[in-house]
Amino acid sequence: MAFVVSSGRLSVTGAGVTPGFAAVPAMAAPWEYATIWRTQPQVRTVVGFLARNIAQLGIHVFRRVSDTDRERLTEHPLARLLANPLPRLTTYRLVERLVADLATYDNAYMIKLRLNGVLRLLPVPPTLIRPYGGNWIAPEHYETAGGRDFPVEDVVHIHGYQPETLTFGCSPMEALRDLLLEEREAAKQRAAMWKSGARMTGVITRPADAEWSAEERRRFREMWRTFAQGGGAEGGTAILEDGMEYHPVSINPQQAQYVEARKLTREEVAAAFFIPPPLVGILDHATFSNIREQHQHLYQDTLGPWLVMLEQEIGAQILPDLPDNEGVYAEFNIQAKMRGSFEEQAAAASTATGRPWMTVNEQRARMNLPSIEGGDSLITPLNVTEGGLASPRDTAPDPEDTAGKARARSRPRRKDARPGGLGDIEAEREALETALVAYTERQAGQLLAAAGAKDGGLPDLLELWAQGREDRLAQLSALLAEHGYRLAQVGAWEVLAEHNPQAEGWSAEVMLAWVLAAAQAHAELHEDAGREAVAAVQAGGGEDWRGQLQGAMERWGTAAAVRAVTAATELRSFGGHDAAKASGLVRKVWRAGSKPRPEHARMDGETVALGETFSNGLRWPGDSRGNSKQTANCNCELTYTRAEEDE
């Protein structure tokens, strides 16, 4: 094929030169795609998801100073144009329309207007504009529904791939057309079924030897027609005569799997736009961990190509019309979505700077509080000096200087590299048990005093119990969280000292959210145990209710000791598991504790991959996923190995 350059424009010598190449195919009627968007909820969900998530990202303008430096331009003509593309048109609405048009039509258009000498951008629906004439490389001009033509250089046309031409894209609705048509017909069938009172069609049979006069046949036909037209919705009952039988011949809603079909349609539409199903509400296989990973995937693999396309189209079709465009480019502010939670950012910033990085007044401003005198200077903890610790949170002593004592067990004990202030596991478990039992006894005493102060017979013990429930839960959660955080760190350092003494890739703060949730769960379980004891006294009644209540509260105190051991085991196990994962360990071994359950004794030495569960269904000793028969008072533990280590 021969190419020529005429008036600075690339052209071809003629269409049809390439074998099999015909004239540029006509685009499908764009209003059909608009109808699909209006009538298909799955399409609207996916298109809206893309448009909203891209539109919420800000667009920044930069100048590339060097390969390692760039300058943010806030007053550049491109920055002002993107911030105010047209009077009363925001950046969000402009990007939302562009992305929605691209997702629906695979074409998006903007006309360049010059109002009072200032460049403006007018987005135009693809139903009102189209490329016209020219050849498969470029159109001659753009034609609008109002009859006005615009030259190519005055139109921003962003489009996708089309096999036969370079001038416009092919809507993904074409690939989804049959699937969406099937969904539409299924919706019509459902509507017809409910319109007829969800009545199933069928046939009526009658014995061949049954006599049936013409009058009886007419009467029955009229009766059945009246019943069928109402769908049975008015409460009538059909009467079958002379041994007649009704045989359904239609598919019932359960067999039709309507819900599954609708879900499948959404999955297929999401797949056409490369969107993970959980992000559009399909949560069959969603977990906290994979949802978080898919959030990262969203802004990297799902929206990433869209963002690069829009950034390059801005540079190719808009920037050349503006002055001072050398080295200038636009970029979506995706970093704002990839930075993680505030806690993660704060921890990273503190470690990177080696000291606190916010003043008191800066933090108070974040909480909408007024500034205070002396709050504009950074506070440096006494343990952080020039050339000292790398982070204000790095207070762990050198593990080589604090070698632990040997265990009483046959296997060697891990080295003791706990940060200063943390005791060993026995000391921390005992501290939790002492604190929880003491708190339980105080609460029991208060309940006994309140019940004894009531005149007359048995008071409403459950009402008395309910009056302090919220305060007890808050106090229990705080108590368990304080001790639980220490226990989790002890468990973590037991593993770190042996496999990762420098704690590379691990941070105690990462465990805090899980510890708080576990503390809340154990607090609710302990609170429920107390309520059940009180409810039993209330149900039993009798003149000796005071003695029964005293005994119930004593049992609650005993349960507090068991709860402390159970919680300590779980928190220690979780801490070790978290440290093992951060340290690159891949296998875990169940070690039975003293006086173990028979099942746990049989499991001693059982080895599984780090992410798997043991034969009893638990991830670690004390795992809250198990029932009380598996976890209560358990003191088993785990050890960890790498793949190449001898188990």
Side-chain angles (χ1 to χ4, degrees), residues 169-201:
C170 177
S171 172
M173 303 307 164
E174 289 295 331
L176 295 171
R177 185 184 296 274
D178 290 342
L179 177 70
L180 297 175
L181 178 60
E182 180 183 351
E183 168 65 19
R184 180 60 178 169
E185 294 302 319
K188 290 181 179 179
Q189 182 184 8
R190 289 193 295 272
M193 182 185 70
W194 290 114
K195 186 176 181 180
S196 62
R199 174 178 52 83
M200 297 182 295
T201 59

Side-chain angles (χ1 to χ4, degrees), residues 16 57 61 83 87-88 152 174 221 232-233 236 335 377 421 437 453 519 577 604:
L57 300 173
V61 178
R88 302 180 64 182
V152 174
E174 289 295 331
R221 184 170 56 249
Q335 294 301 322
S377 60
V437 170
H577 200 276
D604 190 32

Side-chain angles (χ1 to χ4, degrees), residues 18 21 49 53 62 173 179 207 248 254 275 290 307 332 336 420 425 469 486 527 605 623:
T18 302
F21 180 84
F49 175 85
N53 277 279
F62 299 92
M173 303 307 164
L179 177 70
Q254 182 178 2
I275 298 176
N290 66 25
L307 303 180
F332 283 90
I425 186 62
R469 182 179 187 277
R486 297 172 64 86
E527 171 71 13
D623 187 355

